[in-house]
Amino acid sequence: MVEKSIWDISAASAKRPPLQGDIETDTVIIGGGMAGILTAHFLEQAGMKCVVLEADRIGSGQTRNTTAKVTSQHGMIYDRLLQSEGAEKAGLYAAANQEAVERYRILAKKYQGDIGWSQCPAYLYTTEDTGAIRREHEAVKRLGLPMQLTEKTELPFQVKLALKMEGQGQFHPLRFLYMLAEELTIFEHTKVTHVEENAAVTAQGTVRAQKVVFACHYPFLNSPGYYFMRMHQERSYVLAVKKAASLDGMYYGIDEDGLSFRSAGEYLLLGGGGHRTGKNTTGTSYEYLSSRAEAYWPGCKEMARWSAQDCMTLDGIPYIGQYSKSSPDWYVATGFGKWGMTSSMVSAMILSDLICGRQSQYAEVFTPRRFHLQSSVGTLIKEGGYAVSGLIRQAASIPKEKLEDLRPGHGGIVEHDGNKFGVYREETGKIYAISTRCPHLGCQLAWNPDEKSWDCPCHGSRFDYRGKRLDGPAQNDLECHIRREN
Ligand SMILES: Cc1cc2nc3c(=O)[nH]c(=O)nc-3n(C[C@H](O)[C@H](O)[C@H](O)COP(=O)(O)OP(=O)(O)OC[C@H]3O[C@@H](n4cnc5c(N)ncnc54)[C@H](O)[C@@H]3O)c2cc1C
Ligand code: FES
């Protein structure tokens, strides 16, 4: 079994050189994930020159670890949107995502090749109370979305009720991304350290442009925009098994412990075990998925496991549009809430319209400059609470664990000479100690036993046990002290 996504092990892209020196272009795009590459593609199609700057390899962020369901059925969103935003905006949200599905279909046809595109239905299902699905059905009926209630699915257990939406899609996200990227100007291993008005600055050179797009998953600048006050991150886990059923549809369980399912060639993907990043104390996410897979398809074989995280906004709608009032030439695409395939396409549609000076009928729904009291204030207060408790924990909490009690293969927070350290004891006896203070804004990091990483509950930065940065918004590694025990 590999600890990588099935996309990662079945696709490769040509290496791109790092930036060397200073250059100029029309638009510089920071981040070569699905949002950045699609936006660059749309801009190039419109005749604009673009440069994509990617800190690592293209597709190496969350995009390589997605489950790549292309659907406008985003969980139970429409009932909520109708109540908080009204029928017009909820309808525009639906239309933008339906157009996104359609644009994937057109691109898949145009760029024929092995991108595994197939049209299929999407389902929401429950094995418990049917009230929420019935309410969602009423909402989508009002918005004219083609979804029907059904009790029949291909799942190996009885559902109480499901909501089926025809005409959605699934594909191989990395092969698609690599193919689109072939015609673009991209610099890999080129991390943007800061942005000065119309210049993206890296250690190897600067790209000057009329427009700057932040498509780097979580914007790494704290101001302007203050995205850290408006987003947290949530992780989920995926298992790919063989010798299980082959499903035609894509399934999303709406119950608290509900799982998602889709087939991908010979694999069946199970996703779930989600939690706020930095809040995985028990470390049984993969075991849970394994036990479900074995219960549903006895004898199935685990082939791969992986995980990813995504940004969650205050009101559940992505932030796509002008970065902030004080930076008219900057744009952002973030906060996809685990629905980043269509949201990346919606980003490309809106941002290419705005940058090319065209009207976008969807821009107002997704504008990052919105603030809706009703749908946002509760989450804003909760987020503030998380940040305060993360800071207090770092400043004042006393570690309960002792270094000598830490078993090989485990991590924990311990005190040593009056200082607090996050410590991991390797099976070989080596001890790795890092500061538990998150370099982003100082919250206390927490041990993630499933992935042997230090994760921040405030905004979702992550580091491996050696202190290497895995996920932003933090931009730097942690200092790590290594000691060998006899
Ligand atoms: C488990 C899981 C399953 C999912 N399944 C689905 C699904 O089925 N359908 C769906 O629609 N969505 C799904 N999503 C969501 C979707 O995968 C993401 O929303 C999407 O991949 C995000 O794409 P992105 O381009 O915004 O980010 P990324 O893919 O993370 O790309 C951002 C890029 O920016 C680069 N970068 C960061 N900082 C800098 C810097 N300073 N300089 C230069 N480059 C930088 C990174 O290296 C990275 O390559 C899922 C999410 C999770 C967690
Ligand atoms: S990610 Fe913001 S404080 Fe850690």
Side-chain angles (χ1 to χ4, degrees):
M1 192 193 47
V2 291
E3 298 199 349
K4 276 182 171 189
S5 76
I6 54 164
W7 325 121
D8 220 2
I9 55 176
S10 57
S13 76
K15 285 190 178 150
R16 311 301 184 107
L19 178 70
Q20 279 179 339
D22 299 344
I23 57 172
E24 284 190 21
T25 188
D26 294 338
T27 301
V28 58
I29 294 177
I30 306 170
M34 194 59 88
I37 295 296
L38 277 170
T39 304
H41 170 78
F42 275 38
L43 287 170
E44 290 274 346
Q45 294 289 305
M48 286 237 166
K49 279 191 288 159
C50 283
V51 165
V52 178
L53 300 179
E54 166 53 51
D56 192 335
R57 303 286 319 276
I58 55 166
S60 66
Q62 309 309 322
T63 296
R64 76 175 158 172
N65 288 336
T66 182
T67 45
K69 301 189 285 292
V70 179
T71 177
S72 47
Q73 190 187 57
H74 291 181
M76 307 295 283
I77 195 163
Y78 294 108
D79 180 42
R80 186 159 47 82
L81 285 184
L82 265 181
Q83 290 179 36
S84 63
E85 314 296 321
E88 191 187 347
K89 285 194 179 161
L92 282 168
Y93 182 97
N97 283 284
Q98 281 287 71
E99 185 178 333
V101 176
E102 185 53 27
R103 286 191 182 237
Y104 270 111
R105 195 178 355 257
I106 293 167
L107 277 174
K109 205 167 158 193
K110 180 174 170 196
Y111 292 91
Q112 283 179 359
D114 198 12
I115 66 159
W117 173 265
S118 65
Q119 188 164 312
C120 58
Y123 294 81
L124 300 172
Y125 72 87
T126 179
T127 57
E128 297 172 10
D129 182 38
T130 61
I133 283 202
R134 290 188 192 282
R135 284 194 297 280
E136 186 68 5
H137 182 229
E138 287 306 314
V140 296
K141 264 198 315 198
R142 268 186 73 188
L143 298 173
L145 283 169
M147 298 197 212
Q148 302 90 37
L149 291 175
T150 177
E151 285 166 19
K152 285 202 191 111
T153 71
E154 314 148 273
L155 295 172
F157 50 84
Q158 185 61 47
V159 305
K160 279 235 174 97
L161 197 58
L163 191 56
K164 178 180 182 185
M165 183 173 200
E166 294 283 4
Q168 309 298 288
Q170 56 189 12
F171 68 152
H172 189 307
L174 287 187
R175 288 191 189 153
F176 173 83
L177 183 111
Y178 294 159
M179 210 153 62
L180 224 57
E182 274 173 17
E183 294 159 11
L184 301 175
T185 305
I186 297 170
F187 295 99
E188 291 185 324
H189 299 293
T190 303
K191 179 169 146 186
V192 176
T193 52
H194 54 288
V195 181
E196 289 165 1
E197 296 196 347
N198 292 51
V201 182
T202 80
Q204 299 103 315
T206 295
V207 180
R208 292 191 183 284
Q210 288 156 26
K211 308 286 181 188
V212 181
V213 175
F214 290 77
C216 48
H217 194 240
Y218 200 125
F220 54 88
L221 298 179
N222 291 331
S223 80
Y226 301 98
Y227 287 92
F228 70 91
M229 288 173 71
R230 311 196 255 156
M231 287 200 302
H232 72 276
Q233 299 197 63
E234 289 191 4
R235 284 195 83 65
S236 344
Y237 301 80
V238 186
L239 204 64
V241 297
K242 275 186 180 173
K243 296 188 186 163
S246 172
L247 304 176
D248 290 329
M250 308 180 291
Y251 293 85
Y252 180 85
I254 65 153
D255 305 325
E256 202 176 333
D257 56 355
L259 299 181
S260 76
F261 303 92
R262 69 159 275 198
S263 287
E266 56 192 340
Y267 300 105
L268 182 81
L269 310 187
L270 293 83
H275 58 81
R276 185 183 177 109
T277 303
K279 292 280 170 193
N280 183 22
T281 45
T282 53
T284 51
S285 307
Y286 288 123
E287 284 69 18
Y288 175 62
L289 291 178
S290 299
S291 71
R292 292 295 82 208
E294 182 55 31
Y296 298 145
W297 297 284
C300 69
K301 195 158 185 271
E302 284 181 31
M303 304 305 294
R305 56 166 64 168
W306 67 90
S307 64
Q309 64 186 30
D310 214 356
C311 302
M312 319 304 280
T313 64
L314 295 178
D315 58 9
I317 303 175
Y319 298 129
I320 303 168
Q322 198 181 50
Y323 194 92
S324 76
K325 201 175 169 187
S326 63
S327 51
D329 292 332
W330 295 6
Y331 298 86
V332 67
T334 188
F336 296 160
K338 300 191 192 170
W339 296 108
M341 295 298 103
T342 52
S343 301
S344 289
M345 185 65 88
V346 171
S347 304
M349 285 153 40
I350 293 177
L351 297 187
S352 59
D353 279 346
L354 296 181
I355 289 171
C356 294
R358 299 186 297 244
Q359 286 286 328
S360 165
Q361 58 169 328
Y362 306 126
E364 203 192 325
V365 179
F366 295 90
T367 176
R369 288 169 58 188
R370 68 185 183 266
F371 181 73
H372 301 139
L373 200 63
Q374 187 194 348
S375 52
S376 305
V377 76
T379 330
L380 185 64
I381 292 168
K382 215 163 116 195
E383 285 310 310
Y386 263 109
V388 169
S389 69
L391 290 168
I392 291 175
R393 212 171 303 124
Q394 172 60 22
S397 76
I398 298 166
K400 291 194 194 94
E401 286 176 277
K402 299 248 177 299
L403 179 59
E404 52 276 22
D405 297 338
L406 216 53
R407 285 175 292 132
H410 290 259
I413 296 179
V414 303
E415 195 177 312
H416 184 67
D417 285 347
N419 293 315
K420 203 159 30 172
F421 290 99
V423 174
Y424 173 69
R425 188 191 294 272
E426 216 176 38
E427 309 283 350
T428 59
K430 256 191 201 169
I431 291 189
Y432 297 79
I434 50 101
S435 159
T436 54
R437 188 178 185 283
C438 176
H440 178 229
L441 288 171
C443 289
Q444 178 165 301
L445 300 171
W447 180 244
N448 176 351
D450 277 320
E451 305 181 84
K452 295 192 189 330
S453 61
W454 292 101
D455 300 357
C456 183
C458 285
H459 316 107
S461 296
R462 297 179 60 244
F463 308 85
D464 74 10
Y465 65 79
R466 297 180 182 85
K468 183 175 177 303
R469 190 198 81 110
L470 299 171
D471 291 300
Q475 287 295 289
N476 299 317
D477 295 342
L478 301 167
E479 200 182 324
C480 181
H481 305 275
I482 305 176
R483 200 175 88 192
R484 177 171 285 284
E485 285 206 323
N486 295 326

